[in-house]
């Protein structure tokens, strides 16, 4: 069986590198070796519809598994960064599911917390609040919804583990 690869579905998807390595970005229609992507990030990006698994089919490509926009074996376009094929949802240029409603109050609080982050990208001071620690870890590639559920001490421990 042909080796599975990842295909970009969103206009631009940013991914974290495997084993702490460098990540990157993938345009719609681009192909990426899944071994290069952090396993948790890869699973999230596939689940949220930013990436698809595809396999070679002679000179073309096809879906390697069923998705919300097609079935295993359906032909797909590779290498074209224009408009998505009919029926494929455009999630925008950020890795946020399209169905997540925007909450202006939450966005205001998050922006205020991001404004308190050190400009050099280092960890915030221990005296900063839980919201600042959440935004710091989101900037490091974490998922906001998961991090927002944790208390400040857990977030600081997670940041310390990531830095070591």
């Amino acid at each position: 069986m042909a080796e599975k690869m990842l295909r970009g579905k969103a206009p631009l998807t940013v991914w974290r590198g495997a084993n702490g390595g460098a990540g990157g970005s993938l345009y719609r229609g681009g192909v990426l070796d899944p071994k290069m992507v952090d396993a948790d990030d890869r699973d999230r990006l596939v689940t949220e519809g930013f990436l698809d698994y595809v396999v070679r089919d002679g000179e073309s490509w096809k879906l390697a598994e069923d998705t919300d926009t097609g079935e295993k074996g359906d032909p797909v376009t590779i290498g074209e960064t224009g408009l998505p094929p009919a029926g494929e949802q455009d999630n925008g240029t950020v890795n946020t599911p399209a169905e997540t409603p925007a909450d202006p109050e939450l966005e205001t609080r998050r922006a205020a917390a991001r404004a308190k982050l050190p400009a050099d990208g280092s960890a915030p001071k221990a005296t900063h609040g839980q919201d600042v620690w959440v935004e710091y870890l989101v900037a490091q590639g974490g998922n906001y919804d998961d991090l927002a559920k944790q208390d400040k001490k857990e977030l600081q421990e997670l940041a310390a583990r990531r830095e070591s």
Side-chain angles (χ1 to χ4, degrees), residues 5-11 25-33 50-52 54 61 77-81:
M5 299 294 280
L6 292 169
R7 173 184 75 124
K9 286 179 64 178
S25 58
L26 183 66
Y27 287 104
R28 179 186 295 126
V31 179
L32 173 67
D33 185 342
F50 295 99
L51 302 174
D52 277 335
V54 295
W61 294 82
T77 303
I78 298 295
E80 184 175 310
T81 60

Side-chain angles (χ1 to χ4, degrees), residues 3 9 11 13 16 21-23 31 38-40 57 60 65-66 72 85 90 95-97 99 104 116 133 151 153 156:
E3 182 178 3
K9 286 179 64 178
T13 300
R16 290 185 303 234
V31 179
D38 173 78
D40 291 336
D57 184 26
S60 60
E65 46 192 55
D66 290 344
K72 181 178 179 178
D90 186 349
N95 291 337
T96 304
E99 64 273 1
K116 295 176 185 175
W133 282 93
D151 66 26
K153 184 177 178 181
Q156 290 172 325

Side-chain angles (χ1 to χ4, degrees), residues 91-147:
N91 288 325
T93 58
V94 294
N95 291 337
T96 304
E99 64 273 1
T100 302
D103 179 352
E105 186 177 318
L106 175 61
E107 288 306 315
T108 301
R109 287 195 316 266
R110 289 189 66 187
R114 284 190 297 268
K116 295 176 185 175
L117 292 173
D120 64 0
S122 62
K125 295 179 182 177
T127 56
H128 278 108
Q130 183 258 7
D131 56 338
V132 176
W133 282 93
V134 167
E135 293 302 330
Y136 169 71
L137 290 167
V138 167
Q140 303 300 313
N143 178 284
Y144 176 80
D145 293 329
D146 294 337
L147 293 168

